[in-house]
Structures are given as C-alpha cells and as structure tokens.
Amino acid sequence: GNDAELERYGRIIADQMEGKGPMMGLTPDLFPTLDTIYHELLDTLEAHFTDHPYLLGGLPCAADFALMGPMFAHLGRDPYP
C-alpha cells in the first residue's frame, strides 16, 4: 500500500495495543529496568555476532528466525524501541 494506507492500518493496530501494558504488568516504574535489560541483550548479541554469523555458529537455525521477528518489529519499525 501507499504511505496513507500504511499509516491508517498501522494506527488501527497501535490503537488496539494502546493501554494493554498495565494488564501485562508493564508499568512506568519498570521502564528503567527494561531499558537496562534491553541494552544488555543488544550488547551481548553484538559481541556474539562479531564472531559468529548466526546464533549457533555458521549456519542459520530456527532460533535465528525466531529472534528475527521480534527484533525486526522493535528495532526496524518501532520509532521508540
């Protein structure tokens, strides 16, 4: 679709997610801890992928594909990951 369609449907999805955080235990007092964990994960993955092309060595495995989905969603599309 074009940019207007993407914005429209993206807004529909975002609106459905809005306000769901507290129901899952996500509250603003946890944000600093989650940021710390998030940055530690990125640092760990950066160090690993400096020496290895995939999670378990030289060939992709199911874990690589499982990690790709949430990482792309939050790093590739989320303006505030």
Side-chain angles (χ1 to χ4, degrees):
N2 60 41
D3 288 346
E5 290 171 330
L6 292 173
E7 177 63 31
R8 177 178 172 233
Y9 291 109
R11 177 59 25 218
I12 290 170
I13 293 168
D15 288 346
Q16 290 174 351
M17 294 301 293
E18 190 70 33
K20 301 276 195 243
M23 292 185 335
M24 296 184 290
L26 182 61
T27 57
D29 60 311
L30 288 176
F31 293 174
T33 301
L34 294 173
D35 280 344
T36 298
I37 292 168
Y38 174 70
H39 286 278
E40 288 174 359
L41 170 65
L42 292 181
D43 289 343
T44 300
L45 289 173
E46 179 70 23
H48 176 78
F49 289 128
T50 297
D51 296 325
H52 308 283
Y54 301 101
L55 282 172
L56 299 179
L59 295 173
C61 66
D64 291 288
F65 295 101
L67 183 63
M68 184 179 171
M71 294 300 279
F72 174 73
H74 291 289
L75 297 176
R77 297 184 310 184
D78 188 347
Y80 305 104

